[in-house]
Amino acid sequence: MKILFVEDDRIIASGLCYSLTQEGYLVTHCVDVKSAKTTLYENSFDLAILDLSLPDGSGYDLCQLIKAKEDIPVIFLTAIDDEVNVVMGLDMGADDYITKPFRIRELLSRLKSVTRRYDKTELVKTVYQFSNLKIDTAQAKVYKGEQEIVLTSLEYRLLLLFANNEGQVLSRNQLLEGLWDFAGEFVNDNTLTVYIKRLREKIEDDSQNPSIIKTVRGIGYKGGS
């Protein structure tokens, strides 16, 4: 897998490049927007890891450029962790948002999670109903009626968790573990609230009074109408 890594902190970049290379990834490192754009025009990548604040611009701009060029996962790696920027990053089409400082094991786990949706060989070829939604796991697509609902990788995985456990109450810890295929110790619990909110806005008729993903006070959430 070829990874574009854009990070101006050379100490962070050196350590992460080494770790990713040890895992078998081919990493191209850029330190600013200008060099990243040149590299993007000259090469194709399977995934991009982008710092948000760069010397000559923003990772947001690079994310838009990448998504317009090809459908690959994008992970933001940044020290900015407020909800507004998380939501903005997801709206830009990013698949994940990891804040500094981070652990290498965390990033590797989440890297594998976001690429899983894009690996069609791992998808079960089936179409099934969940509430008033149609989920096509062969294409990793979701439809409401005839209209396709465009979800990020994390939103899609979250929806599948509810669909695969329809009618069951899932705690926040269960959802975090399912999202990251990890114990959840690295995940910012507050971020789950953002993902639930964004998913509801896309799939519910009225996100303020959800009928597909319901809140179970003091416990967690339940999926299914």
Side-chain angles (χ1 to χ4, degrees):
M1 177 181 285
K2 296 173 63 179
I3 296 177
L4 173 65
F5 178 35
V6 187
E7 168 64 63
D8 62 325
D9 187 319
R10 295 184 184 276
I11 295 177
I12 292 177
S14 176
L16 187 52
C17 284
Y18 174 79
S19 298
L20 290 172
T21 301
Q22 290 295 104
E23 291 291 321
Y25 297 108
L26 300 175
V27 184
T28 299
H29 173 228
C30 298
V31 296
D32 53 29
V33 172
K34 182 179 179 180
S35 60
K37 285 183 176 180
T38 300
T39 301
L40 279 167
Y41 286 130
E42 297 175 350
N43 302 273
S44 292
F45 295 93
D46 302 300
L47 181 139
I49 302 174
L50 310 176
D51 188 11
L52 193 56
S53 299
L54 295 164
D56 59 342
S58 168
Y60 291 139
D61 298 329
L62 282 177
C63 179
Q64 289 182 310
L65 179 64
I66 290 168
K67 289 294 186 178
K69 182 175 182 287
E70 52 191 334
D71 185 25
I72 65 171
V74 173
I75 297 175
F76 280 133
L77 189 63
T78 176
I80 304 173
D81 64 350
D82 60 273
E83 181 176 324
V84 171
N85 282 281
V86 173
V87 171
M88 187 181 299
L90 297 176
D91 285 344
M92 289 281 182
D95 296 274
D96 204 350
Y97 195 107
I98 302 175
T99 56
K100 303 172 185 175
F102 62 93
R103 305 183 195 183
I104 294 297
R105 287 178 61 205
E106 173 194 6
L107 185 137
L108 291 173
S109 176
R110 292 164 74 159
L111 185 153
K112 292 174 182 176
S113 292
V114 298
T115 56
R116 195 165 292 135
R117 179 189 176 192
Y118 291 78
D119 185 0
K120 301 301 189 292
T121 62
E122 290 191 7
L123 298 172
V124 178
K125 294 185 177 180
T126 183
V127 176
Y128 60 97
Q129 291 291 136
F130 172 59
S131 189
N132 63 340
L133 304 175
K134 181 175 73 173
I135 303 176
D136 182 349
T137 56
Q139 300 294 323
K141 292 184 177 181
V142 178
Y143 298 88
K144 187 174 184 179
E146 297 300 318
Q147 181 178 1
E148 180 182 354
I149 301 173
V150 179
L151 302 178
T152 67
S153 179
L154 284 171
E155 291 166 350
Y156 178 75
R157 286 174 60 77
L158 183 58
L159 180 63
L160 284 184
L161 282 173
F162 285 116
N164 290 330
N165 297 276
E166 187 170 2
Q168 299 181 36
V169 178
L170 300 176
S171 69
R172 294 178 69 86
N173 282 339
Q174 286 177 307
L175 291 171
L176 291 171
E177 289 171 10
L179 280 176
W180 311 125
D181 292 330
F182 221 68
E185 57 188 335
F186 299 133
V187 179
N188 182 347
D189 181 68
N190 291 331
T191 307
L192 177 61
T193 303
V194 175
Y195 295 140
I196 293 286
K197 178 175 180 290
R198 301 305 293 167
L199 183 58
R200 280 173 167 167
E201 289 175 348
K202 292 183 178 182
I203 67 174
E204 299 280 2
D205 292 330
D206 180 0
S207 62
Q208 299 300 314
N209 296 286
S211 62
I212 302 175
I213 299 177
K214 308 179 189 72
T215 299
V216 181
R217 300 290 181 187
I219 302 178
Y221 303 90
K222 182 173 72 170
S225 58

